[in-house]
Amino acid sequence: MSSLPPGTHTQAFIDGAFVAAENGALFDDLDPATGRLLVQVAACSPADVDTAVKAARAAFRSGVWSRMEPRARKKILLRFADLVEANGKEIALLDSIDAGKPISDCENLDLPDVVNNIRWYAEAIDKVFGKISPTGDGNLGLVTREPVGVVGMVLPWNFPAGTLSWKISPALAAGNSIVVKPAELAPLSTLKIAELALEAGIPAGVFNVVPGLGHVAGKALGLHADVDVISFTGSTEIGRQFLRYSADSNLKKVVLECGGKSPQIVMADVGGALDAIAENLAGAAFWNMGQNCTCGSRILVQSSIKDAFVAKLVEAARGWVVGPPTDPASKLGPLIEASALERVVGAIEQAKAQGSRVVAGGNRLFPESGGWFVEPTIIDDVDPTSALARDEIFGPVVAVLGFESEEEAVRLANDTAYGLAATVFSNDINVAMRMARSIQAGTVAVNGYGEGDITTPFGGYKTSGFGGYDKGIEAFDQYTQLKTIWVTLA
């Protein structure tokens, strides 16, 4: 059992100070690797959320951040990125223990990404311009962007620091004040990062954090009439709730990044690349224990090469070592909570009952630890109409399906309510581009699983996304308000 860093914060962060919940309430934050209590965290109430929103609004109206010269904001955000980088080991350890994420991923993937994201949007501040409309000599039409005001952010637990950086970086760069509700399953790194923001020079009240339960603190943020935008990453079911909260309050803008069931399509023309593709798709399926919205959880393989590919995939899965998340040798840690383990094991058992074949994994591991570990699992001969082929499992379980033609592959790929991401493997650029254009997904990678980078917008089709994008210059759209200034010239 690993210990949290000394001085780990567990209180709310409101108006530049750590404070207890107004009623003294706490919730239990459990260790996924042991199932035991890790720490108790402030359980914010609607009154706490209201206090945080008022602090954010007061800071916004004062102009201390919202009207600061963009180059000055940039300087502070770059200092913020430097502080996050300097404290990267601690933040990585917090996410590893709190969310059960392998420490090597946290240190080598997540934290460098967080630092890069903050720096990228800091550098973009003074490079995003308004427009002048074409008019006659008697008028001048200015199209400008203003910070939208108070932004509420509701975060997932699977990439606590990473997803936080996707949202806070453009929102702060644009001049907004923010109120963040971290996931109750992994709130600790968000509190540390908020402290570093204040140290960097982001004024008190601009960055607030209200840990708590989703149906209490998250709901209060969604319903608050003085919140201008809600940005949510999580399940489609809860995303629908935030649309209802908006309708029931002030019609605030809502941006949703929700679930996925991302198809990975392997065409027979890939030739001798099966070893490399199997390694790539094992990573797509099992990375972060499969707890990833773009997880490559279903692989569609042209029938003539399916058996050969499955054998390669089984071999690749052997390299995904399951163990304690703080052990650098572990490539997979535990699932996030007991109900996740039950859901994943239940999905495996249901697939077996329906006639599918478990060709690798399929079992719970280390039950004596009390943690929620499961083997990386490959299931072949999956019925395309089954839950395993269509629903998000959110665990290290990949379904393999065969297909005959390009047209059938596209039909199977689109036969889901989701549309977040997909990958196509083909040596024929014409085939790859035809399929990429036909697949209903926000990001389609070709010849390698990927989500793009900070320069490319990230969002989904259908029930995977709504209202905007994380990443890219496009992220500014959801955190700014367009204004037309129409001047009549004498």
Side-chain angles (χ1 to χ4, degrees):
M1 180 177 179
S2 299
S3 300
L4 291 170
T8 295
H9 298 293
T10 60
Q11 295 181 304
F13 188 76
I14 299 175
D15 205 13
F18 286 101
V19 294
E22 54 91 20
N23 57 8
L26 301 168
F27 67 88
D28 292 344
D29 184 6
L30 302 182
D31 182 350
T34 66
R36 295 194 289 270
L37 178 66
L38 184 63
V39 71
Q40 289 190 308
V41 180
C44 288
S45 68
D48 294 308
V49 172
D50 185 58
T51 300
V53 171
K54 286 177 177 175
R57 180 62 67 187
F60 183 78
R61 286 177 175 159
S62 75
V64 65
W65 183 254
S66 58
R67 291 195 292 272
M68 182 183 288
E69 184 181 357
R71 283 176 293 182
R73 283 206 305 272
K74 176 168 79 170
K75 185 176 180 180
I76 292 173
L77 285 176
L78 289 174
R79 189 182 309 137
F80 178 33
D82 290 343
L83 284 171
V84 171
E85 186 172 43
N87 290 268
K89 290 283 188 182
E90 179 180 345
I91 297 169
L93 183 60
L94 287 171
D95 273 1
S96 179
I97 296 173
D98 205 14
K101 294 170 63 70
I103 187 66
S104 58
D105 284 356
C106 295
E107 290 183 346
N108 301 321
L109 298 176
D110 293 8
L111 261 295
D113 189 52
V114 171
V115 173
N116 178 65
N117 294 345
I118 299 171
R119 285 182 178 147
W120 195 84
Y121 283 105
E123 292 290 355
I125 288 176
D126 53 6
K127 300 173 182 67
V128 179
F129 295 83
K131 297 182 289 187
I132 298 176
S133 71
T135 64
D137 290 343
N139 298 101
L140 177 63
L142 305 177
V143 182
T144 65
R145 286 187 181 273
E146 299 178 347
V148 72
V150 176
V151 178
M153 300 173 175
V154 181
L155 304 181
W157 45 261
N158 54 344
F159 292 89
T163 307
L164 174 72
S165 71
W166 283 9
K167 298 181 185 299
I168 66 172
S169 302
L172 291 172
N176 296 289
S177 296
I178 61 176
V179 180
V180 182
K181 209 296 283 185
E184 57 262 37
L185 296 173
L188 302 181
S189 64
T190 297
L191 293 164
K192 177 63 180 180
I193 290 170
E195 179 188 40
L196 296 176
L198 184 70
E199 183 180 344
I202 295 175
V206 172
F207 191 149
N208 306 276
V209 183
V210 285
L213 304 180
H215 67 280
V216 178
K219 180 179 180 179
L221 197 56
L223 285 170
H224 204 290
D226 205 24
V227 171
D228 300 295
V229 175
I230 283 284
S231 180
F232 168 79
T233 296
S235 72
T236 299
E237 176 187 2
I238 302 302
R240 294 180 194 275
Q241 292 291 343
F242 278 98
L243 292 175
R244 296 185 182 102
Y245 299 153
S246 172
D248 290 343
S249 55
N250 59 338
L251 290 180
K252 60 177 65 66
K253 185 189 294 185
V254 177
V255 181
L256 306 178
E257 193 273 286
C258 299
K261 191 67 178 177
S262 303
Q264 316 295 298
I265 302 174
V266 184
M267 302 299 291
D269 65 22
V270 295
L274 285 187
D275 286 294
I277 294 171
E279 290 286 346
N280 186 259
L281 292 188
F286 304 138
W287 173 49
N288 204 46
M289 295 72 71
Q291 298 172 138
N292 176 16
C293 294
T294 67
C295 170
S297 57
R298 57 187 177 124
I299 302 176
L300 314 180
V301 188
Q302 203 151 18
S303 296
S304 61
I305 63 167
K306 185 166 83 72
D307 289 346
F309 173 80
V310 169
K312 302 285 189 185
L313 188 64
V314 169
E315 182 63 30
R318 295 192 179 104
W320 286 80
V321 178
V322 183
T326 54
D327 183 347
S330 299
K331 293 187 71 173
L332 288 176
L335 296 172
I336 188 65
E337 58 182 339
S339 63
L341 179 67
E342 293 170 6
R343 181 183 66 248
V344 170
V345 172
I348 294 169
E349 293 304 315
Q350 182 182 37
K352 289 194 291 186
Q354 292 174 342
S356 298
R357 294 186 305 120
V358 175
V359 295
N363 301 301
R364 181 181 181 182
L365 294 175
F366 320 130
E368 71 284 353
S369 70
W372 305 303
F373 297 87
V374 67
E375 289 180 295
T377 300
I378 301 167
I379 304 180
D380 195 7
D381 298 331
V382 174
D383 183 342
T385 65
S386 67
L388 188 66
R390 298 167 64 93
D391 298 339
E392 189 172 42
I393 305 301
F394 230 58
V397 179
V398 62
V400 181
L401 296 81
F403 67 87
E404 298 299 332
S405 65
E406 177 184 328
E407 294 73 21
E408 184 185 6
V410 171
R411 179 181 60 78
L412 289 172
N414 290 334
D415 187 21
T416 174
Y418 298 111
L420 189 57
T423 311
V424 177
F425 291 87
S426 173
N427 282 344
D428 187 331
I429 189 62
N430 299 294
V431 170
M433 291 309 299
R434 275 199 308 268
M435 298 183 80
R437 288 173 172 171
S438 300
I439 293 169
Q440 298 166 341
T443 298
V444 181
V446 175
N447 290 340
Y449 167 80
E451 298 176 351
D453 62 15
I454 193 60
T455 67
T456 57
F458 182 79
Y461 285 30
K462 299 187 281 189
T463 61
S464 285
F466 177 90
Y469 296 89
D470 289 318
K471 305 197 304 180
I473 290 294
E474 290 79 4
F476 280 118
D477 292 345
Q478 60 211 35
Y479 301 124
T480 57
Q481 180 70 51
L482 281 181
K483 175 180 281 186
T484 294
I485 300 175
W486 188 257
V487 180
T488 299
L489 302 174

